[in-house]
Amino acid sequence: MQLLLAAMALTVSPSLADDGTVLARWFDALRTTDREALADLLADDARIILNDLGIEQTKEEFLGSLDAWEEATGSGTDIRYRVEEELDAETVVTVCYDFPSNSVLTSERFVIEEESIRESNQTHIAESCDGL
């Protein structure tokens, strides 16, 4: 039953399959710190907004911060997500970051246009991923 629910959580409607593919590639690239894939997925004028930290980054600033991300996450980080809402170019997902020493649950709003992420806007929800 849990496997079925997990598969359903990652299912994307056929009309929005491109957004699902972009998000799947994004989270996989983030999990593995694949700089080339992340650079390819971000639009040239992309903005990455981390509300709880008060940080807004350009594409270049985000890519420049990946060394710190890789050092902080270590090996073994798992990222799970569930699509909550899809409206035109916007997709809202609940994301669980299972780091080696802790877990964090976030809500993230993506603006995706032409296979590129124009904006990622992240808000912290909880210090555990219970229920996802």
Side-chain angles (χ1 to χ4, degrees):
M1 181 65 161
Q2 287 180 327
L3 182 59
L4 177 61
L5 290 175
M8 288 173 53
L10 294 176
T11 300
V12 178
S13 67
S15 65
L16 295 166
D18 289 347
D19 287 352
T21 300
V22 169
L23 289 179
R25 292 183 2 233
W26 170 260
F27 287 118
D28 187 55
L30 194 56
R31 181 184 54 77
T32 60
T33 319
D34 183 338
R35 290 162 178 80
E36 185 176 329
L38 291 166
D40 288 345
L41 287 165
L42 289 170
D44 289 339
D45 61 346
R47 296 180 324 145
I48 308 297
I49 302 165
L50 306 173
N51 289 303
D52 299 324
L53 300 176
I55 294 173
E56 182 172 329
Q57 298 174 311
T58 63
K59 176 180 180 174
E60 292 76 25
E61 291 168 333
F62 173 77
L63 294 172
S65 72
L66 289 175
D67 286 343
W69 164 260
E70 189 170 38
E71 184 177 316
T73 60
S75 61
T77 298
D78 184 32
I79 302 173
R80 297 176 283 134
Y81 69 96
R82 177 178 60 223
V83 175
E84 301 291 348
E85 184 177 10
E86 299 169 313
L87 299 169
D88 298 323
E90 292 188 22
T91 302
V92 177
V93 296
T94 300
V95 183
C96 173
Y97 294 93
D98 276 322
F99 300 115
S101 61
N102 69 313
S103 294
V104 175
L105 190 66
T106 65
S107 175
E108 300 184 25
R109 182 181 61 81
F110 290 89
V111 176
I112 301 170
E113 296 173 354
E114 299 179 13
E115 297 282 323
S116 294
I117 296 171
R118 294 188 53 85
E119 182 176 305
S120 169
N121 191 319
Q122 180 186 91
T123 301
H124 181 270
I125 295 175
E127 292 297 323
S128 80
C129 295
D130 294 342
L132 182 69

